[in-house]
Amino acid sequence: MTIVYPVKRRQFLVGTAGLASAAVTGLPAISQEGEKLPAYVAWKDPSDVIVHTSETLETTRAAQGDALITPSSDLYIRNNLPAPSDEIVADRDAWEMSIEGVAEPGAITLGDLKLLGSETVVAVLQCSGNGRAFFDHEASGSQWATGAAGNVIWTGVPVRAVVDAMGGIKGDMSFLTGTGGEEIPDGLPPESIQVERSVPVAAMEQAILAWDMNGEPIPLAHGGPLRLIVPGYYGVNNVKYLKRLAFTAEESPAKIQQTGYRVRPVGVSGDPSQPSMYEMSVKSWITGPLEDASTGRVRIEGLAMGGTSAVTGVEVSTDGGNNWQEAELLGPDMGPYAWRPFFLVVDLEAGMHTLASRATNGNGDTQPEEFEPNERGYGHNGWRGHAVEVNIG
Ligand SMILES: Nc1nc2c(c(=O)[nH]1)N[C@H]1C(S)=C(S)[C@@H](COP(=O)(O)O)O[C@H]1N2
Ligand SMILES: [Mo]
């Protein structure tokens, strides 16, 4: 039998036209939904992304499919500020950053960081607001569904190795603080817009300063020449164009740390006493079929992530959660921070079916049915909200 994706086919045709116009005529690439790809990400695959704004692009759910790794051309984009000029990637090894809060602080170039060691980790990059569109309250911010997430191969130097080379952490520091390399316009207090995030210092065990993404130098749009990667932590903590790494006693004074990315009840404003968006939780979603399918044998597929421990199992329901069946995990186990595609082949009768998935991780955490709303719509991992209605006929 065949599964027909009418929308996907239309996307493909428009997307191809968009690619051709970008490559051949120099005109901007047009996404499947008819939006222009901004110039700094004109190399993205227009048929696989939704352009929310010039600073926010989402991967389509269909394009996520059962991909082990998200191609760079499909990976979402989320900028709090416009990206710096591409001059910063003209001579990557010359990029200089400062290391503070260590016994021997100072500046170091990317070229010299590469001499301290390297490690490769596969880690999910996911925006805190991924799944915001599935909340009933109208949380402000990009209405991400499932596509503000990707599974990426990162290579860089372990933060541990950098610390060792600089004489160890100085004193008793509680946080690892990374500062982004965006230019701050004159006259604005840096704390008001600077992308500077602090994570608990224990996260340095798995953190790396990465220069490679999916086997290539990190594109500027994704934080090249150098990016802090904190595997298992929400996207915002993975600071792009990293220009400073500091061990600090306190959290960054930046607004993005103090009041942004704080989980609180609907209607309440952000403050530093509330939980910060740090460790990701167990989550999964179905990526196909998303629309209509013919009766008979259907391959249901999707993606599952454990957050900070590997996915141990995924169950799939075709009747809105009344009955569940264990799905098969696809591909190799790429470590605790990677996502794992899954699939289940089932026979479906004619009619509407609610397809849902529910993952469990190595800590024994399972996705809840409902996820309690919070003011900014962060961290949704409820399986019911992520379910899809498919018409089989
Ligand atoms: N310097 C810097 N780092 C940043 C951001 C930013 O705007 N500037 N955005 C953060 C947020 S909110 C997310 S979700 C991820 C997005 O990474 P991507 O654009 O490579 O997908 O980067 C994080 N790191
Ligand atoms: Mo984000």
Side-chain angles (χ1 to χ4, degrees), residues 78 127-128 236 261:
R78 161 66 165 125
C127 188
S128 307
V236 68
Y261 297 88

Side-chain angles (χ1 to χ4, degrees), residues 64-289:
Q64 289 182 314
D66 60 358
L68 289 162
I69 297 295
T70 304
S72 303
S73 56
D74 284 8
L75 186 63
Y76 82 101
I77 290 275
R78 161 66 165 125
N79 287 334
N80 293 270
L81 298 172
S85 122
D86 59 8
E87 281 160 32
I88 72 167
V89 290
D91 181 359
R92 290 169 176 267
D93 283 355
W95 176 258
E96 202 176 74
M97 66 167 300
S98 66
I99 314 276
E100 297 168 24
V102 287
E104 295 152 38
I108 186 163
T109 63
L110 172 48
D112 285 339
L113 280 171
K114 288 179 177 168
L115 305 177
L116 299 179
S118 18
E119 196 169 274
T120 294
V121 60
V122 181
V124 170
L125 182 70
Q126 178 182 221
C127 188
S128 307
N130 196 35
R132 181 178 286 137
F134 303 131
F135 284 105
D136 288 332
H137 71 296
E138 280 166 22
S140 67
S142 298
Q143 294 306 303
W144 306 113
T146 62
N151 198 37
V152 181
I153 311 170
W154 304 102
T155 297
V157 60
V159 168
R160 296 182 315 274
V162 179
V163 167
D164 286 348
M166 300 189 117
I169 298 174
K170 194 178 171 195
D172 197 11
M173 301 300 196
S174 303
F175 297 97
L176 175 65
T177 297
T179 311
E182 288 103 336
E183 295 275 342
I184 305 298
D186 283 345
L188 279 180
E191 317 82 74
S192 64
I193 58 167
Q194 182 108 65
V195 178
E196 186 174 89
R197 285 285 298 178
S198 302
V199 296
V201 73
M204 74 172 262
E205 287 309 315
Q206 74 263 30
I208 65 171
L209 307 186
W211 51 78
D212 244 60
M213 171 177 139
N214 292 343
E216 285 173 339
I218 302 179
L220 175 71
H222 290 296
L226 190 67
R227 180 169 194 172
L228 173 62
I229 295 298
V230 188
Y233 277 57
Y234 281 102
V236 68
N237 303 293
N238 296 261
V239 176
K240 305 200 258 192
Y241 348 100
L242 188 71
K243 70 167 188 198
R244 173 177 172 261
L245 187 75
F247 291 90
T248 55
E250 306 289 339
E251 294 180 51
S252 165
K255 185 167 171 263
I256 199 170
Q257 179 77 28
Q258 293 289 319
T259 59
Y261 297 88
R262 297 283 174 177
V263 183
R264 70 272 187 175
V266 175
V268 172
S269 34
D271 80 56
S273 72
Q274 301 150 349
S276 199
M277 291 305 286
Y278 287 150
E279 294 185 342
M280 295 190 283
S281 55
V282 63
K283 181 166 177 175
S284 69
W285 57 89
I286 288 187
T287 55

